[in-house]
């Protein structure tokens, strides 16, 4: 299957992206398949809005050479018709949504033993304001009025050479609720690596659900299964095989539908091999960034971001002693569904080396686990304050691996 093969052209793509986006750096991809760059500096996580220059990029096939005047989206299944980019802009309301995009593989590089593929630490998360048209408006205009337990499959127009078509399904309830077809990012036209001319934005859900270069939207009773689409190639790889959370050596079962889409509820047992839908609760400290020492006795603002997919962030705690003691941080700034929140904490450190950690709790009382388990633990890890090591390295939200070591010096200049 071509999905398993390296892609030599990705290196050229990465170089071009790094030239346009100087706040990003390449991440190790053992399989040499993906175009992957992530936030180059921890300080990206000290801001609510991520500049496009610092927003990670992740995709499998070459970026299509799209002409917006020619590009169309086919509505298929229970939907019908064709959507042009002109119609998308002129016949539907323009809206903006805030969305924290996190690659479901963010944190994969923290699994021991290693899992292969893209070795992300915490650099594959970012928040943008995406502009476009509500998916509900587009679906209604094309004959779909209600969710009715159905699914929306979005298909990417990235060239797949007849193999592994990039198709992902989300429940139609989510599609109607807050998803958009985006043509703008942070007020600018959508850059080509982020999905020009049109991508799906699914607020609060893992990056993989946010299909770039959309050329088909299909409404059906089932999520995408093999042979479900009217085109050559494999249709279900990205939905039913990749991006599933399971122990080593397991082939996940194919489902037509699942009742529980909250990723954490699935992990707790609602689905045998969970799908990566909404993001698990997580946080990252942005400052201090550990790159230069701070002064003893001065006020140091510990600042970062915390997110929880479809759920609200209820609490963020900060530790400045490697997890021995914890203090509540203050949440501040914008509070939009599907986007992260800023947190802050005033710290007056004494001289020495300090390990800073943050851990967030969502509105349903689910707190980030401390570490990633060993490969045998699977679901039992959850009772042991650990995230289940899984073969694909997905959805990890442990806090210990994201800590920052800060040197505090007494230069005699402080008070
Ligand atoms: N068509 C298409 N859409 C795609 C992908 C892809 O390979 N092809 N990659 C997905 C993954 S895995 C992620 S994490 C996000 C990343 O979005 P970004 O590159 O805009 O940050 O895009 C998603 N959408
Ligand atoms: Mo991803």
């Amino acid at each position: 299957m071509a999905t398993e093969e390296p892609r030599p052209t990705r290196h050229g793509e990465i170089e071009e992206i790094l030239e346009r986006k100087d706040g990003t750096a390449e991440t190790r991809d053992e399989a040499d398949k993906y175009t992957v760059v992530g936030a180059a500096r921890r300080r990206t996580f000290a801001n609510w809005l991520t500049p496009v220059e610092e927003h990670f990029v992740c995709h499998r096939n070459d970026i299509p050479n799209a002409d917006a005047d020619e590009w169309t989206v086919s509505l298929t299944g229970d939907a019908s018709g064709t959507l042009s980019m002109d119609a998308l802009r002129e016949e539907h309301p323009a809206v903006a949504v805030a969305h924290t995009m996190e690659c479901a593989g963010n944190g994969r590089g923290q699994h021991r033993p290693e899992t292969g593929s893209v070795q992300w630490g915490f650099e594959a998360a970012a928040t943008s304001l995406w502009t476009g048209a509500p998916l509900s408006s587009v679906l209604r205009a094309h004959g779909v009025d209600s969710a009715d337990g159905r699914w929306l499959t979005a298909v990417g127009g990235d060239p797949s050479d007849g193999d592994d078509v990039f198709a992902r399904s989300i429940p139609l309830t989510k599609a109607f609720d807050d998803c958009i077809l985006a043509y703008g990012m942070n007020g600018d036209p959508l850059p080509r690596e982020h999905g020009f001319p049109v991508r799906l934005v699914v607020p609060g859900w893992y990056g993989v659900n946010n299909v770039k270069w959309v050329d088909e939207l299909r409404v059906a009773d089932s999520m995408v299964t093999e042979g479900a689409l009217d085109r050559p190639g494999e249709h279900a790889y990205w939905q039913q095989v990749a991006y599933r959370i399971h122990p080593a050596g397991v082939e996940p079962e194919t489902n037509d539908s699942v009742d529980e889409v909250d990723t954490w509820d699935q992990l707790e047992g609602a689905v045998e091999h969970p799908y990566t839908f909404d993001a698990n609760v997580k946080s990252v400290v942005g400052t201090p960034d550990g790159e230069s020492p701070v002064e003893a006795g001065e006020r140091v603002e510990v600042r970062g971001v915390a997110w929880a997919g479809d759920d609200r962030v209820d609490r963020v705690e900060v530790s400045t002693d490697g997890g021995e003691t914890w203090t509540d941080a203050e949440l501040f700034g914008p509070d939009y569904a599907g986007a992260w929140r800023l947190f802050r904490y005033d710290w007056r450190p004494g001289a020495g080396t300090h390990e800073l950690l943050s851990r967030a709790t969502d509105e349903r009382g689910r707190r980030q686990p401390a570490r990633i388990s060993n490969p045998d633990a699977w679901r039992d890890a959850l009772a042991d304050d650990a995230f289940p090591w899984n073969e694909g390295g997905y959805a990890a939200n442990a806090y210990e691996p994201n800590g920052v070591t800060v040197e505090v010096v007494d230069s005699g200049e402080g008070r």
Side-chain angles (χ1 to χ4, degrees):
M1 170 160 53
T3 306
E4 305 303 331
E5 284 160 20
R7 181 167 58 93
T9 45
R10 79 179 191 93
H11 294 285
E13 255 189 21
I14 287 172
E15 267 158 44
E16 280 176 36
I17 291 168
L18 292 177
E19 223 155 272
R20 289 193 286 275
K21 290 159 69 92
D22 62 6
T24 59
E26 184 174 357
T27 290
R28 186 162 63 101
D29 173 9
E30 290 183 333
D32 242 18
K33 294 186 330 195
Y34 291 85
T35 294
V36 275
V37 304
R41 283 172 291 272
R42 183 178 275 276
R43 293 189 69 90
T44 292
F45 302 96
N47 291 305
W48 184 81
L49 189 67
T50 311
V52 173
E53 294 72 34
E54 297 171 30
H55 196 296
F56 77 96
V57 174
C58 178
H59 56 258
R60 165 66 179 111
N61 302 311
D62 290 349
I63 299 172
N65 276 319
D67 175 351
D69 295 332
E70 302 285 315
W71 193 271
T72 55
V73 180
S74 308
L75 284 292
T76 63
D78 295 349
S80 58
T82 303
L83 179 71
S84 69
M85 291 310 99
D86 271 356
L88 182 64
R89 286 170 183 276
E90 281 157 33
E91 292 167 20
H92 301 283
V95 297
V97 294
H99 164 50
T100 294
M101 180 108 67
E102 181 186 15
C103 179
N106 201 28
R108 181 184 292 119
Q110 301 164 347
H111 288 63
R112 294 293 175 273
E114 289 191 8
T115 62
S117 193
V118 181
Q119 298 297 298
W120 298 116
F122 56 79
E123 67 271 33
T127 297
S128 292
L129 282 171
W130 300 88
T131 45
L135 202 47
S136 60
S137 176
V138 171
L139 291 173
R140 281 199 189 92
H142 291 271
V144 180
D145 289 311
S146 67
D148 279 342
R150 289 179 288 181
W151 293 81
L152 175 86
T153 298
V155 189
D158 30 342
S160 57
D161 298 330
D163 217 282
D164 56 70
V165 174
F166 197 88
R168 287 284 303 184
S169 307
I170 59 170
L172 212 45
T173 44
K174 177 68 175 173
F176 268 97
D177 183 25
D178 60 359
C179 297
I180 70 166
L181 286 175
Y183 45 72
M185 184 179 182
N186 290 354
D188 286 326
L190 199 55
R192 55 192 301 269
E193 63 268 21
H194 291 293
F196 177 84
V198 61
R199 83 175 301 169
L200 183 60
V201 170
V202 186
W205 286 35
Y206 283 118
V208 67
N209 300 285
N210 297 254
V211 177
K212 306 196 266 196
W213 316 295
V214 172
D215 73 1
E216 180 178 347
L217 292 171
R218 185 175 188 83
V219 175
D221 289 338
S222 161
M223 60 174 106
V224 64
T225 54
E226 213 42 70
L229 303 174
D230 188 15
R231 57 169 84 203
E234 291 181 36
H235 303 154
Y237 177 76
W238 298 102
Q239 185 74 16
Q240 305 284 3
V241 183
Y243 288 90
R244 297 287 299 280
I245 306 173
H246 58 78
V250 167
E251 201 170 306
E253 81 291 359
T254 291
N255 295 295
D256 285 348
S257 195
V258 287
D259 294 331
E260 187 53 72
V261 293
D262 180 279
T263 304
W264 197 264
D265 279 348
Q266 293 182 64
L267 261 179
E268 286 186 324
V271 173
E272 181 64 15
H273 303 131
Y275 293 81
T276 41
F277 289 138
D278 87 312
N280 292 335
V281 62
K282 196 161 175 175
S283 62
V284 177
V285 170
T287 59
D289 60 11
E291 282 177 25
S292 47
V294 301
E295 188 68 34
E298 299 269 302
R299 184 180 70 85
V300 176
E301 186 178 67
V302 179
R303 190 163 89 222
V305 285
W307 63 99
D310 275 338
D311 301 297
R312 296 309 235 263
V313 174
D314 185 54
R315 180 182 191 193
V316 177
E317 298 159 280
V318 167
S319 174
T320 57
D321 55 13
E324 297 209 354
T325 60
W326 295 89
T327 314
D328 275 293
E330 178 193 346
L331 297 171
F332 71 108
D335 186 8
Y336 297 148
W340 61 28
R341 295 214 67 191
L342 286 162
F343 66 84
R344 66 179 299 282
Y345 167 68
D346 278 338
W347 182 37
R348 270 184 199 279
T353 303
H354 299 261
E355 173 76 0
L356 261 61
L357 299 169
S358 66
R359 70 177 181 200
T361 304
D362 73 14
E363 62 181 333
R364 297 209 251 163
R366 304 177 297 198
R367 194 177 74 188
Q368 288 181 253
R371 63 199 75 86
I372 299 175
S373 75
N374 69 58
D376 303 324
W378 186 223
R379 284 200 162 101
D380 293 342
L382 296 172
D384 198 21
D385 203 21
F387 181 83
W389 185 102
N390 63 97
E391 194 172 64
Y394 295 119
N397 66 340
Y399 62 78
E400 280 178 359
N402 298 330
V404 53
T405 305
V406 181
E407 297 297 335
V408 181
V409 293
D410 197 345
S411 66
E413 286 163 21
R415 280 156 294 173

